[in-house]
Amino acid sequence: MKANSTVTLIKILALLCLSVLCVSQEFDFFYFVQQWPGSYCDTKQSCCYPTTGKPAADFGIHGLWPNYQDGKYPQNCDSKNPFNPDKFDFGQLYPPVGWSVKQHNFTSLNRQVKIADLRSSMQKNWPTLACPSGNGVGFWTHEWEKHGTCSESVLDQHGYFQAALGLQKQVNLLQALTSAGINPDGRSYSLSNIKSAIQETVGFTPWIECNTDTSGNSQLYQIYLCVDTTGKNLIECPVFPRGKCGSEIEFPSF
Ligand code: 5GP
Ligand code: 5GP
């Protein structure tokens, strides 16, 4: 009898553990990463403007990356959920000429239109600068498949891209910098002034990633902010990535 109840207790405990594992997060927080186009281009590898034209001289989204508290991160989590660019293409032709709106299911119509909105906003705010020139789909596919699939329990494909766009709207990095007198003019600025300008405006401490220009100077390449697991709220970073900038870094024009 006693042995039986011990076995039952162990079974219950095992079930409890499993259920905790099942609902537990696949990750602890996101890095929201934006890139300065001038620094992507001002390198040995150089850059190519998207087929849709030269992007604005502003920070563009690189990605929204699920991460663990210990600094490690998951990647390529679900090959069965590939990026679906068709969804992004539909909306522009929608509704087809001659269709009466009454003929169609409203939920589906609203969703298509929402996705169409996302596409133009992504071209503007998440432009690709890699060579050869692309329309963005290659970059977005990479970001969804490598990072987005690792937060799919929280954000579906549409939600993932929408969350990143929403975060970018919340934080105007260029304005934070220029209002502190830090301008993309090819001059060098102190790393600590750059960080405090962002900290004071955005309310959270950023991580700055540098790369090097063709002459080997350290320059402001990417800015990381941390976001909670909903993908909506900025938080202080639980851990910063590794890497080093100089104490004075260049802010190239674009
Ligand atoms: P990640 O750093 O996110 O792992 O990789 C970025 C990938 O996206 C690379 O394969 C890179 O060639 C491609 N890519 C396309 N456009 C861009 C861009 O504008 N910026 C960056 N950083 N990568 C881009
Ligand atoms: P400190 O400890 O004075 O803040 O920074 C010392 C050095 O650490 C800096 O010169 C820089 O190389 C590196 N460092 C500090 N903060 C950051 C940062 O946000 N990003 C990067 N990449 N390096 C940093």
Side-chain angles (χ1 to χ4, degrees):
M1 187 65 188
K2 206 166 176 201
N4 253 351
S5 54
T6 309
V7 170
T8 313
L9 192 66
I10 289 171
K11 279 186 183 162
I12 291 172
L13 280 175
L15 274 174
L16 265 176
C17 285
L18 265 179
S19 67
V20 166
L21 278 180
C22 289
V23 297
S24 72
Q25 282 301 337
E26 310 167 280
F27 63 101
D28 299 321
F29 69 97
F30 288 104
Y31 282 124
F32 174 55
V33 186
Q34 296 190 65
Q35 64 182 6
W36 177 248
S39 304
Y40 186 94
C41 293
D42 186 16
T43 50
K44 273 197 195 126
Q45 86 193 1
S46 192
C47 72
C48 294
Y49 296 154
T51 49
T52 42
K54 183 180 175 180
D58 202 349
F59 284 88
I61 301 173
H62 179 164
L64 183 60
W65 304 340
N67 235 80
Y68 300 122
Q69 303 263 14
D70 66 2
K72 296 191 179 123
Y73 58 95
Q75 51 182 323
N76 299 311
C77 296
D78 187 2
S79 57
K80 291 195 204 75
N81 187 0
F83 180 70
N84 183 356
D86 289 351
K87 284 191 188 171
F88 290 78
D89 286 326
F90 270 142
Q92 294 195 323
L93 306 169
Y94 215 86
V97 184
W99 273 33
S100 139
V101 169
K102 264 194 226 148
Q103 268 175 289
H104 210 71
N105 165 331
F106 270 106
T107 317
S108 160
L109 179 68
N110 285 337
R111 186 154 179 80
Q112 308 277 9
V113 170
K114 235 165 75 185
I115 288 167
D117 288 353
L118 222 57
R119 187 188 173 94
S120 65
S121 171
M122 280 171 59
Q123 277 168 344
K124 184 165 172 276
N125 302 299
W126 201 325
T128 179
L129 288 165
C131 295
S133 291
N135 61 5
V137 169
F139 190 21
W140 308 330
T141 301
H142 173 88
E143 292 303 311
W144 168 256
E145 290 176 359
K146 179 169 176 187
H147 302 286
T149 54
C150 301
S151 53
E152 66 189 5
S153 64
V154 186
L155 297 168
D156 65 10
Q157 249 178 74
H158 185 267
Y160 177 77
F161 291 103
Q162 197 170 37
L165 292 164
L167 287 164
Q168 199 199 32
K169 269 204 182 141
Q170 270 184 56
V171 288
N172 192 334
L173 293 179
L174 189 58
Q175 201 183 314
L177 293 172
T178 55
S179 57
I182 299 166
N183 300 299
D185 52 12
R187 289 194 298 154
S188 284
Y189 294 91
S190 110
L191 178 65
S192 74
N193 286 352
I194 291 174
K195 287 169 78 173
S196 19
I198 294 168
Q199 206 285 334
E200 277 156 27
T201 317
V202 175
F204 297 92
T205 311
W207 173 258
I208 310 296
E209 182 187 344
C210 294
N211 66 357
T212 45
D213 71 7
T214 45
S215 331
N217 300 314
S218 182
Q219 58 185 1
L220 171 52
Y221 172 40
Q222 302 202 108
I223 299 184
Y224 294 58
L225 288 164
C226 290
V227 178
D228 70 6
T229 51
T230 65
K232 293 193 173 66
N233 309 300
L234 294 171
I235 54 170
E236 281 300 340
C237 287
V239 58
F240 286 115
R242 294 208 202 129
K244 239 177 178 293
C245 295
S247 53
E248 296 282 318
I249 62 178
E250 214 176 282
F251 192 10
S253 61
F254 180 64

